[in-house]
Amino acid sequence: MSESTPMMAQYLKIKEQNRDAVLFFRLGDFYEMFNEDAVEVSRLLNLTLTKRAGNPMCGIPFHASRVYIARLLRAGKKIAICEQLSIPGPGKGLAERKVIEVITPGTVLEDAYLDSSMNNYLASVSLAAGKRGASFGFAYLDISTGDFSATSFPEEGSAERFRKELGRIDPREILVQQSILQSYPDFAAILAERPSLLVNKYPDWSYNQEASYRKLCAVFGTESLGAFSLGLESPEVPAAGLLVEYLEGTSGFTVSHIDGIHVFGESEFVSIDDSTRKNLELVQSLRDGGSAFTLYEVLNNTRTSMGSRLLRSWIHHPLTDRARIAARHEAVERLYRSQKLLALSRDILSSILDIERLCARVSMERAHGKDLVALGSSLDAFFRLDAAYRGDGDPHSVPYRASEETLAAGREVSSLIRDSIAEECPVALNEGGIIKPGWSGKLDELRSLRDNSNAVLESYLEEERALTGIPNLKIRYNRLTGYFLEVSKGRLSSVPTHFIRRRSLANGDRYTTDRLIELETELNGVHANIIECEQELFLEIRKRVAGFIKPLMEISHAVALLDVYQSLAYAATRNAWSRPAMTADGTIDIADGRHPVVEAHLPSGEFVPNSIVLSSDPESAQPSFALITGPNMAGKSTFLRQTALISLMAQIGSFVPAAQARLSVVDRIFCRVGASDNLARGESTF
């Protein structure tokens, strides 16, 4: 790029400091991009490419930037926002410019850049040498919800496990230890399969075991990580620690809403490889990648964003622990058998907004007044729901953990917001009208001064009339002089010594006083003082709410859990599904099973049920496998997939589409048949 102009030189200097990001360079009412940024962005966003001083250039209006930023984030781009910090006068040189924010796909918090029904994961992978050989650490975190998990796996079979974990969470951005890409080409190939995934390469020294351990302890507020099943030598620690470091460095705020990490092993969930996940069309259809004609579509009757995200997670992570599976079945059956409570739950949940993401914005000092109002109203709705569950008559009818301390903290936050924040408050902090009357005596006084300026001046005028004995004393105003006292010619002899002459006229003189100057200053600055006072009060209120983040996050988890339970109960009611019996004898016995997705898209009664009995017990009379044959379009793929889906549904806690099902827990599901079928639309490979 030519450096013939000072502005181009300024651009180059800032771009050099943000080489891995698209630089949005503010020029007046536009964000401009130059050189390689302009060429790439014009292609991605279909913008007109022009030139400036011989350099490629394209731009977008700053007021419409959110739309374009969202599209770039979906394409896996990092954006650096460079703003004008000052506007110089004529002949004073360049405007001062600085990057005020870096937006990346895995660190965004604003609703405009997020899908409310999906988690937005930032992942990290590292490699560490151990006593038993090299191990990979894999961690992922959704900054918008606080969901933080980690696992590890050995070098043998690591590429397939890495692909499997990426498929489970579908991250938007990943941090990768540089030596992994050099020494393990399979990892680089797996990442190349995801062109919209933003890959950040970090040198090996960034993944420091001891520093990461200390960082995680500091974030969680603990002396050690023993409570999270992590030790100083755990392979998960470097990957998890760098995630937190990266997030705090990018956002500029501490991640105080993250208070723990879930460390899991491969055996905790059913192993589903990427091919099986796609062919079973769990959350994405093979045809267009959408949620139509998927298991998620059939199961999803959630009423909150938190519930829809948790349901997706359950579908990707079927359990292998029979006790946990049974607890979920029990919670679903309780609602299935109490349709009144189910209907009430669905009604109240509809009024609960995204508490998880609201809490994240509060914690990271991004929440505005409307966010707090939304949080308060959502908490009130949860308390109505909690009362309904606790009043159900069954002491075990509350399928979530929310202690009395948690509920009390939630009520305190709700009361604080209700008493302090105006319901119709603006989003911007510089518009006023955020704080309710009666919350602050100082603010009420300022507002009274603003709303009753005439009364204030009249009161002062009466004081001066009484003091001076000038009955026709007047207060006037003009734009040049401001406020002044006007004394007629015949009363000039009564003017007191504290009057300060401003101007003499033919009919009288104009004066001011120290008190009138004070009043004028107060009246002229009252609007700015009100805005400043409201901002201080709002920041104080938000800080107080942030002190309750942990119980608020517990409440959000309770809401998500209730929402998924009611969603599964509603699906079971609507589709006439039955509760499966989970056994440990190696049996799969499904009577009159149906494919949940195909049945949902056929007219009622058209799907023909079919049964299967298998057993892994060598002493059982039942076969351990089934060889299925038949002509094209006979239903082989449908039958195979429906058996897999019924097992998977049972192990996420759902009822299943069968007259009766007796199932043993499976640890793996494979499905590589009919890869081009579209069963729900009646289309086959042939």
Side-chain angles (χ1 to χ4, degrees):
M1 180 182 287
S2 168
E3 294 189 39
S4 58
T5 67
M7 189 276 291
M8 288 296 186
Q10 183 188 49
Y11 171 86
L12 280 174
K13 182 179 179 181
I14 297 173
K15 176 62 182 176
E16 179 65 22
Q17 297 165 354
N18 297 273
R19 285 181 291 179
D20 61 341
V22 174
L23 182 62
F24 274 32
F25 191 73
R26 183 71 177 270
L27 286 176
D29 290 337
F30 284 79
Y31 287 123
E32 302 289 0
M33 286 140 277
F34 297 95
N35 258 15
E36 65 277 4
D37 281 357
V39 173
E40 184 175 30
V41 170
S42 65
R43 176 181 58 82
L44 291 172
L45 301 182
N46 196 27
L47 300 176
T48 301
L49 189 65
T50 60
K51 286 190 176 183
R52 179 169 180 155
N55 302 299
M57 182 182 94
C58 69
I60 59 171
F62 85 96
H63 64 269
S65 61
R66 284 177 173 268
V67 175
Y68 295 101
I69 290 173
R71 289 170 61 186
L72 287 175
L73 290 173
R74 285 195 292 272
K77 300 300 176 184
K78 182 185 295 187
I79 301 104
I81 306 296
C82 179
E83 289 288 359
Q84 293 178 183
L85 302 183
S86 64
I87 301 176
K92 297 294 184 181
L94 278 175
E96 182 187 357
R97 291 183 176 89
K98 182 181 179 182
V99 171
I100 62 164
E101 184 179 14
V102 177
I103 306 172
T104 77
T107 62
V108 293
L109 281 173
E110 289 77 10
D111 286 337
Y113 307 140
L114 295 169
D115 184 336
S116 63
S117 67
M118 298 176 63
N119 281 104
N120 192 72
Y121 285 119
L122 169 69
S124 176
V125 61
S126 63
L127 178 64
K131 296 177 182 178
R132 299 181 180 179
S135 292
F136 289 88
F138 184 76
Y140 54 90
L141 170 61
D142 182 350
I143 188 62
S144 70
T145 66
D147 183 11
F148 195 7
S149 298
T151 189
S152 62
F153 42 90
E155 189 175 20
E156 185 179 355
S158 57
E160 186 57 34
R161 179 73 187 280
F162 181 55
R163 178 183 278 110
K164 191 182 300 181
E165 295 301 335
L166 288 181
R168 281 190 207 264
I169 64 169
D170 192 22
R172 301 284 304 281
E173 184 177 358
I174 189 168
L175 316 179
V176 183
Q177 188 171 326
Q178 208 156 22
S179 62
I180 293 177
L181 300 178
Q182 297 165 353
S183 304
Y184 298 85
D186 286 350
F187 277 67
I190 290 168
L191 292 173
E193 294 170 2
R194 298 172 171 267
S196 63
L197 175 64
L198 176 60
V199 179
N200 300 291
K201 302 170 187 175
Y202 276 81
D204 287 19
W205 55 262
S206 299
Y207 289 87
N208 183 281
Q209 193 90 23
E210 188 175 338
S212 294
Y213 190 87
R214 290 197 305 269
K215 184 65 179 177
L216 292 173
C217 287
V219 169
F220 302 152
T222 58
E223 292 293 327
S224 75
L225 301 179
F228 307 107
S229 303
L230 290 174
L232 183 58
E233 302 299 323
S234 298
E236 298 91 348
V237 168
L242 187 62
L243 271 186
V244 174
E245 195 77 43
Y246 177 78
L247 280 169
E248 291 188 345
T250 303
S251 68
F253 297 100
T254 57
V255 286
S256 58
H257 62 297
I258 300 171
D259 60 0
I261 184 170
H262 173 223
V263 180
F264 64 93
E266 187 176 16
S267 62
E268 186 175 340
F269 306 115
V270 176
S271 179
I272 305 174
D273 61 41
D274 211 35
S275 175
T276 299
R277 185 177 292 105
K278 290 176 180 176
N279 289 328
L280 286 179
E281 297 180 294
L282 298 182
V283 299
Q284 289 183 317
S285 70
L286 285 168
R287 177 60 57 92
D288 58 11
S291 61
F293 300 96
T294 63
L295 179 64
Y296 173 73
E297 180 197 30
V298 176
L299 294 176
N300 185 25
N301 303 285
T302 57
R303 312 294 273 183
T304 70
S305 300
M306 296 167 288
S308 61
R309 292 194 295 269
L310 183 60
L311 178 61
R312 277 181 183 270
S313 178
W314 281 16
I315 291 172
H316 281 308
H317 299 83
L319 299 174
T320 56
D321 186 301
R322 276 206 308 149
R324 293 176 64 189
I325 295 169
R328 289 184 180 180
H329 285 156
E330 196 65 34
V332 173
E333 182 166 18
R334 193 170 297 123
L335 285 168
Y336 178 77
R337 304 228 175 255
S338 177
Q339 291 294 314
K340 184 177 179 181
L341 185 59
L342 175 59
L344 179 64
S345 297
R346 290 177 59 77
D347 181 53
I348 296 177
L349 284 166
S350 297
S351 61
I352 297 180
L353 300 177
D354 201 335
I355 299 176
E356 263 186 334
R357 286 183 170 165
L358 290 171
C359 285
R361 290 205 286 274
V362 168
S363 172
M364 300 185 73
E365 301 179 13
R366 302 286 185 89
H368 48 67
K370 285 190 179 297
D371 284 338
L372 294 190
V373 171
L375 178 59
S377 64
S378 298
L379 290 172
D380 291 340
F382 168 73
F383 296 135
R384 295 199 304 273
L385 193 59
D386 181 71
Y389 273 83
R390 294 181 189 277
D392 192 37
D394 182 352
H396 304 292
S397 65
V398 182
Y400 54 84
R401 288 180 294 177
S403 65
E404 287 301 323
E405 291 79 8
T406 294
L407 297 176
R411 290 191 178 92
E412 186 172 342
V413 171
S414 172
S415 177
L416 170 63
I417 295 171
R418 190 186 313 113
D419 293 343
S420 61
I421 306 296
E423 291 183 13
E424 300 300 326
C425 65
V427 170
L429 289 181
N430 60 356
E431 293 182 13
I434 299 174
I435 307 299
K436 278 185 174 180
W439 177 254
S440 165
K442 178 184 176 182
L443 180 60
D444 289 346
E445 185 178 328
L446 288 171
R447 285 173 172 169
S448 176
L449 184 61
R450 177 198 62 193
D451 299 337
N452 303 289
S453 57
N454 289 336
V456 170
L457 291 171
E458 283 295 329
S459 175
Y460 170 66
L461 181 60
E462 289 301 322
E463 289 178 17
E464 290 293 357
R465 282 174 177 169
L467 185 65
T468 62
I470 305 174
N472 61 347
L473 186 66
K474 295 184 176 79
I475 288 182
R476 303 287 193 186
Y477 174 84
N478 66 39
R479 293 177 61 185
L480 293 176
T481 310
Y483 290 101
F484 56 87
L485 292 160
E486 189 174 82
V487 182
S488 63
K489 206 73 170 173
R491 292 286 184 175
L492 291 178
S493 59
S494 301
V495 171
T497 56
H498 67 278
F499 273 35
I500 305 167
R501 189 188 305 274
R502 298 288 295 273
R503 189 174 182 185
S504 295
L505 300 173
N507 298 324
D509 290 354
R510 293 176 179 176
Y511 297 87
T512 188
T513 66
D514 291 340
R515 177 60 180 151
L516 184 58
I517 292 171
E518 288 177 10
L519 288 175
E520 182 175 13
T521 302
E522 288 180 15
L523 292 175
N524 290 338
V526 69
H527 180 73
N529 291 338
I530 287 172
I531 297 299
E532 183 181 356
C533 184
E534 286 209 56
Q535 289 176 346
E536 291 176 358
L537 291 169
F538 176 78
L539 295 178
E540 178 190 332
I541 293 164
R542 188 173 67 183
K543 186 176 181 180
R544 286 177 61 184
V545 173
F548 293 93
I549 286 298
K550 186 173 181 179
L552 292 178
M553 292 298 285
E554 289 179 13
I555 288 174
S556 76
H557 297 157
V559 171
L561 201 58
L562 285 175
D563 199 14
V564 173
Y565 285 146
Q566 73 77 21
S567 180
L568 297 179
Y570 187 79
T573 303
R574 188 178 60 185
N575 299 302
W577 295 345
S578 62
R579 176 176 176 173
M582 305 305 295
T583 72
D585 58 7
T587 298
I588 294 179
D589 185 353
I590 301 172
D592 293 336
R594 291 111 58 198
H595 191 296
V597 184
V598 176
E599 182 185 42
H601 291 90
L602 289 177
S604 179
E606 280 202 10
F607 190 94
V608 178
N610 36 70
S611 305
I612 186 171
V613 181
L614 295 173
S615 176
S616 61
D617 185 353
E619 297 182 4
S620 171
Q622 303 299 337
S624 60
F625 74 95
L627 178 64
I628 303 172
T629 64
N632 297 340
M633 294 298 289
K636 302 185 299 297
S637 293
T638 303
F639 182 59
L640 291 170
R641 292 196 207 183
Q642 102 180 16
T643 305
L645 288 174
I646 286 173
S647 288
L648 185 146
M649 289 170 66
Q651 290 183 222
I652 70 170
S654 173
F655 284 19
V656 298
Q660 185 178 336
R662 193 163 149 269
L663 304 169
S664 295
V665 172
V666 301
D667 61 351
R668 282 171 172 76
I669 294 177
F670 298 99
C671 176
R672 289 182 175 85
V673 294
S676 299
D677 289 356
N678 197 324
L679 304 181
R681 291 188 175 96
E683 300 170 6
S684 171
T685 308
F686 301 97

